[in-house]
């Protein structure tokens, strides 16, 4: 009898386990289906619009941090006119940029609601601002008419509401433990607004912010999530609902490495401000933004690019120009953007890559104009069946050399920002383990070898940590390199002696993700040598460098260049992205080397980039 009972319990347990696995599989399939449009979209436009645009100061944080008191901050309601607000023009511009969805602030932490909310004690642009308008309803109407997906930004905290506990960095209105009924009243207000947004706007995506101020239980995050799904079971929620979301939202810092989540989106400003700030002139160029989009695409993520309209509803010329420049590129390269998947592991191509959904088309993104040596793809087991330049009728020449593929395009066919080559295969692309080139000095003795390939192999070997010049008579200044004169081809000898500094006792370069090309480090790890192919279309970029930069120069000829650092926010530990402009008349015809001198041994930031929880 005991055996029968034991057997029965085993069968019941097994069935329960199987059912659980089936449920898990169903949940996974359902999520994959609802996330499909998001994963394919690749580009969205974020809109931070509110009364903070009147004075052109930080949205909400300016009074939270006591840069301006709350009363004076709220007086901006009197200047928020939306007099020239044209939602149809906004949507037209968003669509022109190539975006497939947009996310607009319906309420920031300051508590000013931009729609006609009926929640008790709400402050609205309809009732309290000079505009006397619900500005969200007409915008959402135009978004849906244009066929874009609708995203709603909503701040969980409401620092102006009388029943919210938080107020400024130094003040709280009350303690939850002492006045729980006030918190209950705020919860009623919060859920009323959430239900209004769901019912009135039927959003495809809900973009929460500010969840760090309370726990999931205090926010009733589970209830918020379930209520949203009552209106739309396929609604997508970002990660800022205390672990009740569908995707990660790294902020400002372009990830060095792909985030852990299958679905993610970088939210990113055009300058250093979310809302309109007239004296923030640190706009990135369209070239930088396009390359940021490519970076996200290559890691299987999205870019949510922010604009901050003025108080009258117009959009700054700088922002319009960036969107139009972005639109030029996205329109030309649509097939290499939407619906693509994460590309190849690092080491196969100097630039970024992405794959089509069936993995049979490989897209190569080159943000430089290649020289006569063309582009090189390494460690590819599959054979190319066809190749083309996306958005161009010019022909591509390809040559298979074992697992290496040489690609040449006419210089005239190169895009002004990022050129895209599409390689088609008859079956999903297969790659070898990360290609490794390890040279000895004797390997360079072949006088019949292509000299440009030899120079590239030197750089690759250095990047991999094998220096072929360690046991030679090469000096740091390149003078009197007799063994080189005897052994090397003249072109290689000239390049080596010119750039001897980066070859003398240097070692393995930066890990993957910090620089898209090859690199090497000085013996003291304080100088990073960057190998730059061809003619860059814009400044070359470094990510995740914690050090201060002391000096940057072009090796072998001494030109100093001044870097530009973007998105280094003083309250964030995430390093900014370092852009290094290179004068084209100083580029080496074979391979340029740039020396980046740091204030100490290289210190790298490789942590996961996530939601920012402080803004002092």
């Amino acid at each position: 009898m005991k055996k029968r009972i034991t057997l029965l319990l085993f069968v019941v347990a097994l069935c329960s386990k199987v059912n659980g696995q089936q449920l898990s599989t169903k949940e996974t399939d359902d999520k994959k289906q609802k996330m499909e449009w998001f994963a394919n979209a690749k580009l969205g436009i974020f809109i931070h619009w509110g009364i903070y645009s009147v004075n052109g100061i930080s949205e909400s944080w300016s009074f939270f941090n006591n840069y301006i008191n709350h009363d004076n901050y709220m007086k901006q309601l009197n200047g928020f006119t939306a007099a020239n607000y044209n939602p149809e023009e906004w949507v037209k511009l968003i669509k022109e940029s190539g975006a497939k969805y947009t996310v607009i602030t319906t309420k920031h932490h300051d508590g000013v609601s931009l729609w006609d909310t009926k929640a008790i004690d709400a402050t609205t642009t309809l009732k309290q601002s000079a505009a006397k308008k619900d500005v969200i309803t007409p915008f959402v109407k135009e978004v849906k008419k244009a066929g874009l997906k609708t995203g709603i930004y909503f701040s969980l905290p409401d620092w102006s509401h009388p029943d919210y506990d938080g107020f400024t960095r130094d003040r709280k209105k009350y303690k939850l433990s002492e006045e729980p009924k006030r918190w209950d009243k705020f919860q009623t207000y919060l859920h009323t607004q959430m239900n209004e947004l769901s019912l009135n706007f039927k959003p495809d995506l809900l973009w929460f912010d500010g969840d760090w101020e309370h726990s999931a239980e205090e926010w009733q995050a589970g209830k918020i999530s379930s209520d949203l799904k009552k209106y739309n079971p396929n609604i997508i929620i970002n990660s800022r609902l205390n672990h009740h979301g569908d995707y990660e939202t790294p902020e400002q810092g372009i990830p060095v490495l792909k985030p852990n989540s299958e679905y993610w989106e970088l939210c990113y400003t055009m300058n250093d401000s979310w809302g309109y700030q007239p004296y923030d002139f640190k706009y990135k160029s369209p070239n930088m933004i396009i390359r940021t989009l490519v970076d996200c695409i290559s890691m299987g993520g999205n870019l949510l690019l922010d604009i901050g309209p003025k108080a009258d509803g117009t959009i700054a010329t700088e922002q319009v120009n960036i969107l139009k420049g972005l639109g030029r590129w996205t329109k030309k390269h649509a097939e290499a953007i939407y619906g693509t998947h994460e590309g190849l592991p690092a080491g196969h191509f100097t630039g970024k890559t992405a794959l089509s959904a069936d993995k049979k088309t490989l897209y190569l993104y080159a943000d430089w104009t290649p020289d006569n040596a063309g582009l090189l793809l390494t460690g590819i087991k599959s054979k190319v069946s066809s190749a083309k330049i996306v958005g161009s009728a010019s022909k591509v020449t390809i040559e298979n050399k074992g697992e290496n593929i040489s690609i040449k395009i006419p210089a005239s066919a190169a895009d002004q920002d990022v050129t895209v080559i599409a390689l088609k295969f008859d079956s999903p692309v297969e790659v070898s383990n990360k290609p490794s080139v390890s040279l000895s000095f004797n390997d360079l003795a072949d006088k019949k070898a292509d000299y440009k390939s030899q120079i590239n192999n030197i750089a690759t070997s250095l990047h991999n940590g094998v220096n072929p010049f360690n046991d030679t008579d090469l000096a740091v200044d390149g003078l009197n390199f007799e063994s080189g004169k005897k052994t090397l081809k003249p072109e290689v000898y000239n390049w080596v002696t010119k750039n001897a500094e980066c070859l003398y006792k240097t070692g393995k370069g930066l890990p993957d993700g910090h620089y898209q090309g090859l690199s090497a480090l000085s013996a003291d790890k304080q100088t990073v040598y960057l190998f730059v192919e061809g003619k860059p279309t814009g400044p070359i970029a470094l990510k995740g460098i914690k050090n201060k930069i002391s000096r940057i120069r072009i090796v072998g000829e001494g030109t100093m260049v001044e870097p530009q650092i973007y998105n280094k926010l003083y309250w964030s530990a995430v390093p900014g992205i370092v852009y290094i402009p290179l004068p084209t008349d100083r580029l080496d015809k074979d391979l340029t080397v740039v020396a980046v001198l740091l204030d100490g041994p290289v210190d790298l930031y490789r942590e996961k980039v996530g939601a920012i929880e402080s803004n002092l």
Side-chain angles (χ1 to χ4, degrees):
M1 183 69 177
K2 285 183 179 179
K3 288 182 179 179
R4 289 178 64 188
I5 292 172
T6 302
L7 180 61
L8 179 62
L9 291 172
F10 173 76
V11 171
V12 170
L14 181 62
C15 290
S16 298
K17 184 176 181 182
V18 170
N19 287 336
Q21 288 175 339
Q22 288 174 340
L23 180 63
S24 176
T25 302
K26 184 179 184 305
E27 288 175 341
T28 301
D29 290 343
D30 287 348
K31 180 171 182 178
K32 186 174 182 180
Q33 185 175 353
K34 85 167 185 176
M35 296 298 292
E36 184 176 11
W37 75 258
F38 178 84
N40 290 339
K42 301 305 173 189
L43 177 63
I45 298 299
F46 214 173
I47 304 170
H48 274 70
W49 196 30
I51 66 170
Y52 38 85
S53 60
V54 174
N55 290 352
I57 57 179
S58 295
E59 57 291 334
S60 310
W61 294 100
S62 50
F63 79 78
F64 184 85
N65 292 322
N66 300 306
Y67 298 164
I68 181 174
N69 68 42
H70 183 261
D71 287 352
N72 286 328
Y73 178 92
M74 296 302 284
K75 286 178 182 177
Q76 292 178 103
L77 283 161
N78 300 325
F80 188 79
T81 66
N84 298 307
Y85 172 44
N86 187 334
E88 185 179 357
E89 286 300 314
W90 281 21
V91 172
K92 183 180 177 183
L93 185 60
I94 290 167
K95 198 160 186 178
E96 185 181 347
S97 76
K100 298 299 183 183
Y101 65 108
T102 184
V103 180
I104 188 168
T105 49
T106 60
K107 185 190 74 172
H108 207 268
H109 314 323
D110 59 14
V112 178
S113 300
L114 276 68
W115 80 100
D116 183 19
T117 177
K118 301 300 191 291
I120 295 172
D121 290 324
T123 301
T124 72
T125 54
L126 178 67
K127 294 177 180 176
Q128 279 91 4
S129 81
K132 300 300 180 190
K133 292 177 183 176
D134 163 359
V135 296
I136 300 298
T137 299
F139 177 73
V140 171
K141 181 180 177 182
E142 292 297 332
V143 169
K144 292 183 182 297
K145 188 193 296 184
L148 300 174
K149 294 291 185 179
T150 306
I152 294 294
Y153 168 105
F154 182 79
S155 168
L156 291 164
D158 188 324
W159 294 329
S160 296
H161 195 275
D163 292 315
Y164 186 71
D165 62 328
F167 185 49
T168 70
R169 189 171 294 279
D170 302 310
R171 293 183 185 220
K172 277 205 163 208
K173 298 188 189 81
Y174 64 94
K175 291 182 179 179
L176 264 65
S177 58
E178 296 175 359
E179 299 186 61
K181 290 185 177 179
R182 286 187 72 179
W183 184 250
D184 290 342
K185 286 177 69 178
F186 177 75
Q187 283 292 331
T188 300
Y189 165 84
L190 174 66
H191 290 284
T192 297
Q193 290 205 318
M194 291 307 312
N195 290 334
E196 286 178 349
L197 292 172
S198 297
L199 185 62
N200 296 342
F201 305 125
K202 299 176 176 57
D204 302 289
L205 183 150
L206 214 303
W207 214 100
F208 286 106
D209 201 8
D211 64 346
W212 61 83
E213 289 215 327
H214 289 285
S215 68
E217 292 72 26
E218 289 169 343
W219 285 128
Q220 297 182 17
K223 176 175 168 49
I224 290 174
S225 177
S226 61
D227 283 352
L228 288 170
K229 289 172 184 175
K230 286 178 186 176
Y231 292 98
N232 178 5
N234 292 318
I235 194 165
I236 294 173
I237 301 171
N238 75 335
S239 61
R240 304 185 190 193
L241 186 61
N242 293 91
H243 309 294
H244 284 73
D246 297 301
Y247 69 94
E248 289 295 325
T249 56
E251 181 170 330
Q252 294 290 47
I254 305 171
V256 172
L257 299 173
K258 181 185 184 297
N260 294 329
S261 176
E262 181 178 359
Y263 307 103
W264 65 274
E265 164 199 81
L266 169 67
C267 54
Y268 203 59
T269 54
M270 292 182 171
N271 49 10
D272 283 341
S273 307
W274 294 105
Y276 175 68
Q277 294 197 29
Y279 301 109
D280 182 354
F281 302 115
K282 205 167 185 181
Y283 281 99
K284 304 169 189 74
S285 66
N287 176 274
M288 294 175 186
I289 298 295
I290 290 165
R291 288 160 57 200
T292 298
L293 172 61
V294 168
D295 214 342
C296 293
I297 290 170
S298 72
M299 291 187 279
N302 292 5
L303 173 64
L304 184 63
L305 180 66
D306 182 69
I307 60 174
K310 299 178 183 180
D312 68 352
T314 58
I315 299 171
T317 301
E318 297 93 336
Q319 299 181 26
V320 171
N321 290 341
I322 288 171
L323 291 179
K324 286 182 177 292
L326 179 57
R328 179 207 68 81
W329 190 84
T330 56
K331 183 178 180 181
K332 179 180 177 182
H333 300 95
E335 75 164 85
I337 302 170
Y338 313 111
T340 57
H341 290 232
E342 177 185 357
L344 303 180
H348 294 277
F349 180 63
T350 303
K352 306 297 181 182
T353 65
L355 287 162
S356 59
D358 63 4
K359 307 293 190 291
K360 293 181 181 180
T361 302
L362 175 63
Y363 296 104
L364 309 178
Y365 306 89
D367 54 11
W368 70 95
T369 301
D371 57 23
N372 293 334
L375 306 170
L376 181 65
L377 184 63
T378 58
I380 307 298
K381 293 181 179 180
S382 311
K383 297 298 180 186
V384 178
S385 59
S386 67
K388 69 174 182 178
I389 305 168
V390 178
S392 171
S394 297
K395 300 297 182 184
V396 181
T397 302
I398 61 170
E399 183 181 356
N400 286 284
K401 299 177 181 178
E403 293 189 347
N404 296 340
I405 302 170
S406 174
I407 305 156
K408 292 189 178 181
I409 66 170
S412 59
D415 186 80
Q416 67 188 58
D417 294 305
V418 179
T419 305
V420 185
I421 311 296
L423 302 180
K424 287 197 173 183
F425 300 82
D426 292 330
S427 58
V429 180
E430 290 187 55
V431 299
S432 301
N433 291 331
K434 184 176 178 180
S436 179
V437 174
S438 300
L439 290 181
S440 69
F441 184 64
N442 289 334
D443 291 329
L444 298 170
D446 183 1
K447 295 292 180 70
K448 294 181 180 179
D450 174 65
Y451 85 90
K452 287 205 172 189
S453 296
Q454 286 187 320
I455 291 171
N456 184 71
N457 286 339
I458 290 170
T460 305
S461 187
L462 284 171
H463 181 78
N464 293 335
V466 178
N467 190 329
F469 299 96
N470 275 348
D471 297 319
T472 68
D473 57 341
L474 179 68
V476 68
D477 60 6
L479 296 177
N480 304 316
F481 184 34
E482 295 303 322
S483 61
K485 192 174 289 185
K486 295 175 183 175
T487 306
L488 305 176
K489 293 186 75 170
E491 297 92 341
V492 177
Y493 174 81
N494 290 337
W495 184 87
V496 166
T497 52
K498 174 187 175 183
N499 296 284
E501 174 196 343
C502 75
L503 310 174
Y504 180 74
K505 296 184 179 180
T506 49
K508 189 173 184 177
L510 297 172
D512 297 338
H514 295 281
Y515 173 62
Q516 72 174 21
L518 302 169
S519 62
L521 284 171
S522 59
D524 63 4
K525 305 290 191 293
Q526 195 166 338
T527 301
V528 182
Y529 294 102
L530 307 175
F531 298 98
V532 182
E533 291 185 35
K535 178 183 175 183
T537 61
I540 60 172
L542 273 175
K543 294 190 292 186
I545 307 296
K546 291 182 181 179
N547 307 73
K548 290 183 179 178
I549 293 174
S550 301
R551 177 175 286 178
I552 300 179
R553 57 193 165 75
I554 299 175
V555 172
E557 59 92 73
T559 297
M560 301 290 178
V561 292
E562 191 66 29
Q564 298 170 307
I565 299 175
Y566 287 81
N567 294 98
K568 177 62 191 96
L569 307 176
Y570 72 92
W571 41 264
S572 171
V574 181
I577 183 166
V578 181
Y579 285 104
I580 305 169
L582 299 179
T584 56
D585 62 335
R586 301 304 172 93
L587 298 175
D588 188 281
K589 67 180 180 64
D590 297 317
L591 187 66
T592 306
V593 185
V594 175
V596 181
L597 176 64
L598 307 173
D599 63 350
V602 64
D603 187 11
L604 301 175
Y605 182 94
R606 292 179 71 79
E607 289 85 350
K608 179 183 175 184
V609 180
I612 292 178
E613 299 188 357
S614 177
N615 191 342
L616 181 62

